[in-house]
Amino acid sequence: GENVEQHPSTLSVQEGDSAVIKCTYSDSASNYFPWYKQELGKRPQLIIDIRSNVGEKKDQRIAVTLNKTAKHFSLHITETQPEDSAVYFCAASIGGTGTASKLTFGTGTRLQVTL
Amino acid sequence: DGGITQSPKYLFRKEGQNVTLSCEQNLNHDAMYWYRQDPGQGLRLIYYSQIVNDFQKGDIAEGYSVSREKKESFPLTVTSAQKNPTAFYLCASRRTVSNQPQHFGDGTRLSIL
């Protein structure tokens, strides 16, 4: 089955700096890669996703890059703010219409943005 | 994600007791999922269902059971066979159109008395 590795497990940055979280996946058939943000005791919320037919996607201060050849994808957060502090999860799945399409999650990165 | 409702928010289980966690969605999603999250860890898939009256085991199904009698509902029973049930349980759903994201409920925190 799919295996997703995520690094680092913890990341501390100063407000205004950039943060980068990296994930690798094992199944070359995976074609959908979402990122979730989870605040303490709350539900994971989708912040950005990318499909295998594109290499990069941006949404304001957040961007995701995908390297299919190397089977890794990364989350980039620029101009970090204290409210960015949370646990971030990457995930991978093999998507297809009409399928339940299981997500395999990474183990999470705890991001702390300090003043 | 107000369309996915999990209840109760907190649940306590006694030794040898089965407990059932509720998950209801009004998003008209076909697929539904149950995950377990332990402190400081990622999400592990317990069971998932693509359509009514059909479900599959995930990575950690032992000690759990589910049913999918209605499209809107996917309850999870934590049986007495699950010896370490203390965790945060998350329900999710999605459309089965290709590569649509999963949306999560607010979770149920289960503890042993």
Side-chain angles (χ1 to χ4, degrees):
Chain A
E2 175 66 278
N3 182 50
V4 176
E5 294 189 357
Q6 183 172 348
H7 300 281
S9 57
T10 60
L11 179 60
S12 182
V13 300
Q14 285 197 321
E15 183 179 7
D17 288 349
S18 295
V20 180
I21 302 170
K22 299 182 179 181
C23 290
T24 60
Y25 60 99
S26 61
D27 193 334
S28 57
S30 289
N31 58 3
Y32 176 63
F33 308 92
W35 285 88
Y36 287 86
K37 174 183 179 182
Q38 187 180 30
E39 298 178 3
L40 189 62
K42 296 191 175 180
R43 70 176 84 182
Q45 293 194 305
L46 179 75
I47 55 171
I48 195 166
D49 57 9
I50 191 167
R51 292 160 178 81
S52 60
N53 58 344
V54 298
E56 184 176 1
K57 183 177 178 180
K58 289 183 179 179
D59 183 3
Q60 299 183 345
R61 297 186 296 110
I62 294 173
V64 58
T65 58
L66 171 65
N67 183 327
K68 288 170 56 181
T69 302
K71 290 189 285 188
H72 68 71
F73 56 113
S74 299
L75 178 71
H76 304 253
I77 305 174
T78 60
E79 301 173 21
T80 53
Q81 301 167 3
E83 50 265 39
D84 294 329
S85 296
V87 179
Y88 291 81
F89 292 98
C90 63
S93 74
I94 302 170
T97 298
T99 69
S101 186
K102 296 186 298 177
L103 277 176
T104 300
F105 284 84
T107 50
T109 296
R110 182 173 301 279
L111 173 65
Q112 184 172 4
V113 180
T114 58
L115 298 174
Chain B
D1 299 276
I4 303 173
T5 302
Q6 288 188 242
S7 62
K9 190 170 184 177
Y10 300 96
L11 186 59
F12 298 91
R13 197 192 87 169
K14 295 179 181 178
E15 291 288 340
Q17 184 182 42
N18 293 353
V19 292
T20 297
L21 285 60
S22 170
C23 179
E24 303 276 335
Q25 55 98 0
N26 62 6
L27 301 169
N28 199 33
H29 287 173
D30 288 304
M32 297 187 73
Y33 306 79
W34 274 105
Y35 293 91
R36 169 179 173 144
Q37 186 175 32
D38 292 283
Q41 297 190 28
L43 284 72
R44 293 184 290 169
L45 183 64
I46 305 172
Y47 269 98
Y48 63 104
S49 169
Q50 180 178 332
I51 56 173
V52 173
N53 293 323
D54 184 57
F55 47 83
Q56 285 80 42
K57 292 181 179 180
D59 300 319
I60 55 165
E62 185 174 351
Y64 301 96
S65 66
V66 294
S67 63
R68 187 86 187 276
E69 297 178 359
K70 299 187 300 182
K71 186 176 184 178
E72 302 79 17
S73 178
F74 192 40
L76 173 74
T77 296
V78 184
T79 74
S80 56
Q82 174 49 248
K83 298 306 180 187
N84 183 24
T86 298
F88 189 47
Y89 290 86
L90 287 158
C91 177
S93 70
R94 66 180 284 274
R95 296 172 61 203
T96 52
V97 175
S98 181
N99 291 335
Q100 293 299 305
Q102 290 186 16
H103 301 269
F104 287 86
D106 284 330
T108 292
R109 191 166 298 280
L110 175 62
S111 302
I112 291 284
L113 277 179

